[in-house]
């Protein structure tokens, strides 16, 4: 059995075990990356019709960027995990996908729009790290530009002890995932067990993620401290599968 333990934030990245099944798992669960990218692009253009350049921070395997690069003149990505970053680069020839930590990356240039999707900011260990992450992203937003961040669960909307499960397959593999989330204060440990069956047999590994629960005001305050006018777009079917988004505009 392999254990991928993400208890510490510096090590909280996806290794090869998870990255190789990541796309299969989420696409077969019904995650519509193209639709989500269109929602994000529409929100950006509503606030910044001139937007031509976009940076996707914590871009994972690059599925959102695959659609976003058709909607903007120039796109780039940032990803901490070596395994995920290499998969993104393989999908996106000609698109720069930089190594970097959301809390302190510096590309030395700005973009008309910056986004970070799928709750990556939930990995931040407290409001100081949240401020650092929002500040790093905001520092790459050009004047009049837009920052869009998808939060993880809010402090008042999390179900302790939740057990999630999935079984997905393609022509080569079957993947089963069972995960249990346990809350201690404002920290949540998500412990997931995976079974992967393919031509080489069946293997098991475990992936542990440590997440933080922030309030809406803590997210909004981080945007304001970074010099952005912020709006919380609450859970609605028009957002990403009914989830919230925070949208900041550079003053």
């Amino acid at each position: 059995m392999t254990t991928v333990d993400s208890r510490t934030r510096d090590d909280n990245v996806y290794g090869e075990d998870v990255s190789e099944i990541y796309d299969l798992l989420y696409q077969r669960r019904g995650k519509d990356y193209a639709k989500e990218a269109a929602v994000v692009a529409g929100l950006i253009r509503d606030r910044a019709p001139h937007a031509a350049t976009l940076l996707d921070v914590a871009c994972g395997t690059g599925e959102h960027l695959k659609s976003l690069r058709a909607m903007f003149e120039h796109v780039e990505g940032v990803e901490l995990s070596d395994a995920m970053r290499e998969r993104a680069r393989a999908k996106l020839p000609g698109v720069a996908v930089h190594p970097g930590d959301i809390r302190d990356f510096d590309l030395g240039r700005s973009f008309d729009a910056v986004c970070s999707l799928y709750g990556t900011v939930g990995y931040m260990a407290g409001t100081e790290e949240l401020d650092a992450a929002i500040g790093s992203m905001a520092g790459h937003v050009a004047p009049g530009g837009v920052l869009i961040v998808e939060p993880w669960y809010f402090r008042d909307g999390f179900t302790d002890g939740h057990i999630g499960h999935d079984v997905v397959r393609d022509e080569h593999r079957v993947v089963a995932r069972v995960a249990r989330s346990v809350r201690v204060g404002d920290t949540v440990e998500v412990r997931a067990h995976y079974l992967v069956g393919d031509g080489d047999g069946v293997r098991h590994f475990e992936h542990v993620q440590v997440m933080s629960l922030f309030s809406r005001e803590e997210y909004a305050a981080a945007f304001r401290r970074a010099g952005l006018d912020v709006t919380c777009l609450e859970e609605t079917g028009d957002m990403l599968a009914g989830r919230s988004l925070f949208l900041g505009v550079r003053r």
Side-chain angles (χ1 to χ4, degrees), residues 7 9 122 124-126 152 155 158-162 180-191 208-214:
R7 292 176 185 276
R9 295 322 200 273
M124 302 301 101
W152 201 57
R155 191 172 294 144
F158 179 77
T159 303
D160 189 20
H162 175 73
R180 184 169 184 262
S181 302
V182 177
R183 176 177 181 175
V184 179
D186 293 330
T187 299
V188 177
E189 180 186 86
V190 183
R191 184 176 294 271
V208 181
Q209 300 176 86
V210 179
M211 313 292 287
S212 295
L213 298 169
F214 298 108

Side-chain angles (χ1 to χ4, degrees), residues 5 72 83 116 162 184 219 223 229:
D5 195 335
F72 294 88
S116 182
H162 175 73
V184 179
Y219 280 111
F223 272 74
D229 295 323

